[in-house]
């Protein structure tokens, strides 16, 4: 029988599992706590009876991702990690230092099947969904390696989090648990390319978690060129669902907009976007596109980005131009990719 991966379980699930072994329920909390204090073996859980420890050894495992590479940016101390998951796939995760605290950018899938034209993550399609434990453990492993506490999470690494919805929700429950990493829900942000039914589920399941939506265009025509998902859902439908989301949660949505030279960065695009977003409780995050080898696209100039922002401001749409961290180690948005061999070709 396959061993139970303990980081895949919420505390409640672990309680049931422990009871199914014929053990007392309170043992689950002891085990859960010790795991997120950093225990990597049952041996060190000395508050558990010896017999239980060896029993756990036989039927359960604690760790779930294995660090295979680490790069540290000389510019800003950003750390990019490559983690191997069961079955051989690898995912990337990033540790960033912001003024407001340390932030982990986590992957939700190995690869991605959304196929956005400008993004490296989907270049090879989807390999598989990550389990909750594999999502959580990226954070735990980086925190241990950097010897730093992580207080903020963005699920903006490889993958479309809403294409792996159940494991995402389970991972958030674990990350938030007071007996575990104890991360405030408001400090967690999930980014989606816009899977509408899941945006509404998320409003119900996790109303306190922050939501970011990748927009990248001001009209359907352009959006369809950049993002295949736009052929399933129109922008009008997407923005309607975003309005519903805000009604349900009272939360401000962040719209991400990667500025691509000559594609979506004209003043006309900025005006169109402003008109569409007018009156919404939102914030626009402009990201000058990072170069990705296989796409022919290039990032906009600083000057054009500023002009774009200025127009949005005129329409009173809150906007920021994102500061890029880790671009010297290809850790910036859209540069995370699956395979190590792919990366070594870059150098
Ligand atoms: N699949 C989710 C999560 C990815 S988050 C989503 O689409 O939202 C990463 C963010 O970086 C998304 O907004 C994505 O569109 C953006 N991105 C992808 N490639 C990029 C690139 N080359 N330059 C800048 N941003 C990029």
């Amino acid at each position: 029988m396959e061993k139970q991966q303990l980081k895949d379980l919420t505390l409640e699930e672990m309680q049931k599992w422990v009871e199914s072994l014929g053990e007392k329920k309170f043992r689950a909390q002891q085990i859960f706590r010790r795991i997120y204090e950093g225990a990597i073996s049952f041996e060190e859980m000395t508050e558990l009876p010896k017999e239980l420890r060896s029993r756990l050894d036989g039927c359960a495992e604690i760790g779930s991702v294995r660090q295979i590479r680490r790069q540290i940016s000389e510019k800003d101390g950003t750390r990019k990690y490559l983690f191997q998951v069961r079955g051989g796939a690898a995912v990337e995760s990033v540790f960033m230092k912001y003024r407001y605290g340390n932030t982990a950018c986590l992957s939700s899938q190995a690869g991605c099947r959304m196929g956005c034209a400008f993004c490296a993550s989907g270049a090879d399609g989807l390999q598989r969904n990550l389990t909750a434990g594999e999502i959580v453990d990226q954070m735990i492993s980086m925190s241990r390696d950097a010897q730093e506490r992580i207080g903020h999470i963005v699920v903006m690494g490889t993958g479309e989090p809403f294409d792996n919805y159940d494991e995402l929700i389970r991972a958030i429950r674990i990350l938030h648990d007071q007996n575990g990493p104890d991360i405030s829900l408001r400090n967690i942000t999930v980014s989606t390319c816009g899977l509408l039914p899941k945006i509404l589920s998320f409003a119900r399941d996790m109303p306190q978690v922050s939501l970011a939506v990748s927009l990248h265009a001001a009209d359907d025509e352009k959006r369809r060129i950049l993002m295949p998902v736009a052929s399933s859902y129109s922008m009008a439908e997407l923005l309607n669902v975003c309005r519903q989301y805000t009604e349900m949660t009272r939360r401000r949505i962040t719209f991400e907009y990667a500025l691509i030279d000559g594609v979506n960065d004209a003043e006309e695009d900025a005006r169109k976007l402003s008109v569409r977003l007018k009156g919404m409780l939102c914030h626009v995050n402009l990201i000058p596109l990072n170069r990705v080898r296989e796409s022919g696209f290039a990032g906009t100039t600083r000057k054009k980005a500023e002009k774009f922002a200025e127009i949005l401001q005129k329409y009173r749409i809150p906007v920021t131009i994102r500061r890029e961290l880790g671009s010297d180690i290809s850790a910036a948005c859209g540069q995370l990719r699956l395979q190590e061999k792919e990366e070594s070709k870059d150098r």
Side-chain angles (χ1 to χ4, degrees):
M1 210 176 72
E2 252 193 57
K3 288 187 174 182
Q4 174 65 50
Q5 299 296 324
L6 294 187
K7 281 189 180 133
D8 283 345
L9 301 178
T10 62
L11 177 54
E12 208 178 307
E13 290 167 338
M14 197 179 292
Q15 285 164 340
K16 291 208 180 94
W17 177 76
V18 162
E19 283 178 322
S20 78
L21 295 179
E23 298 285 339
K24 293 247 165 48
K25 188 174 165 184
F26 77 94
R27 293 291 179 206
Q29 194 172 4
Q30 286 181 316
I31 299 168
F32 193 89
R33 275 179 184 264
R34 294 289 285 120
I35 287 176
Y36 296 103
E37 281 164 14
I40 48 173
S41 72
F42 298 112
E43 199 50 29
E44 32 183 317
M45 300 185 184
T46 46
E47 67 276 39
L48 304 180
K50 201 156 193 243
E51 186 212 68
L52 175 56
R53 279 183 269 156
S54 61
R55 200 164 162 213
L56 288 171
D57 240 343
C59 67
E61 269 174 13
I62 299 174
S64 59
V65 301
R66 194 168 65 80
Q67 182 180 320
I68 45 184
R69 202 152 58 92
R70 180 188 71 190
Q71 286 166 278
I72 303 179
S73 163
E74 286 176 11
K75 279 196 201 160
D76 52 43
T78 297
R79 292 160 165 253
K80 181 168 81 165
Y81 293 84
L82 191 67
F83 291 113
Q84 185 157 63
V85 296
R86 282 187 300 283
V91 298
E92 288 187 320
S93 328
V94 187
F95 169 90
M96 295 165 286
K97 282 178 164 260
Y98 281 108
R99 269 184 303 270
Y100 55 76
N102 295 329
T103 302
C105 176
L106 307 181
S107 291
S108 53
Q109 299 178 311
C112 182
R113 55 177 181 159
M114 296 298 124
C116 298
F118 49 84
C119 180
S121 301
D124 300 313
L126 176 68
Q127 283 208 337
R128 74 164 171 85
N129 282 330
L130 298 188
T131 66
E134 288 164 344
I135 298 172
V136 171
D137 206 21
Q138 296 167 54
M139 187 284 269
I140 306 295
S141 303
M142 291 195 288
S143 173
R144 190 191 311 122
D145 182 72
Q147 300 199 338
E148 298 254 18
R149 179 176 150 77
I150 291 172
H152 294 74
I153 304 279
V154 296
V155 187
M156 297 191 181
T158 307
E160 166 50 45
F162 285 175
D163 190 32
N164 185 18
Y165 190 81
D166 294 344
E167 292 302 303
L168 170 77
I169 297 296
R170 189 171 277 129
I172 293 174
R173 295 218 162 96
I174 297 168
L175 289 167
H176 177 58
D177 201 300
Q178 285 178 359
N179 295 289
D182 195 17
I183 293 182
S184 151
L185 291 176
R186 288 182 177 268
N187 291 352
I188 302 177
T189 303
V190 173
S191 178
T192 180
C193 64
L195 302 181
L196 304 203
K198 291 294 165 25
I199 293 179
L200 293 174
S201 311
F202 200 62
R204 281 186 282 270
D205 294 336
M206 287 286 163
Q208 288 165 290
V209 173
S210 305
L211 181 69
V213 173
S214 296
L215 215 48
H216 304 320
D219 60 58
D220 283 314
E221 246 183 352
K222 277 191 190 173
R223 198 160 184 266
R224 281 188 199 127
I225 295 172
L226 298 172
M227 307 173 74
V229 69
S231 302
S232 309
Y233 306 109
S234 71
M235 254 185 92
E237 290 172 309
L238 171 59
L239 295 180
N240 268 338
V241 163
C242 289
R243 286 189 195 95
Q244 281 181 53
Y245 172 90
T246 308
E247 259 171 45
M248 292 163 78
T249 62
R250 302 275 143 223
R251 304 294 313 277
R252 179 184 302 270
I253 292 182
T254 297
F255 288 113
E256 294 159 286
Y257 194 107
L259 287 165
I260 310 175
D261 184 42
V263 175
N264 63 0
D265 62 345
E267 295 183 17
E268 179 57 22
D269 293 300
R271 278 190 289 272
K272 262 195 201 166
L273 183 66
S274 304
V275 171
R276 297 205 85 143
L277 299 185
K278 191 101 200 105
M280 292 183 74
L281 183 60
C282 69
H283 175 106
V284 174
N285 206 339
L286 298 175
I287 318 159
L289 186 90
N290 296 303
R291 200 190 68 87
V292 169
R293 191 170 13 84
E294 41 284 90
S295 87
F297 297 126
T300 202
T301 59
R302 183 79 206 173
K303 214 171 142 217
K304 272 182 148 179
E306 277 164 10
K307 183 71 203 168
F308 201 96
E310 209 178 279
I311 294 172
L312 264 61
Q313 270 159 355
K314 263 198 210 132
Y315 283 84
R316 304 196 182 287
I317 312 249
V319 56
T320 43
I321 302 177
R322 186 184 287 174
R323 189 167 63 100
E324 281 304 341
L325 297 180
S327 54
D328 57 329
I329 53 170
S330 288
C333 294
Q335 295 184 309
L336 297 184
R337 65 178 65 237
L338 205 55
Q339 283 149 347
E340 198 171 12
K341 64 176 193 320
E342 289 279 331
E343 276 200 9
S344 45
K345 273 194 264 170
D346 271 350
R347 276 185 240 119

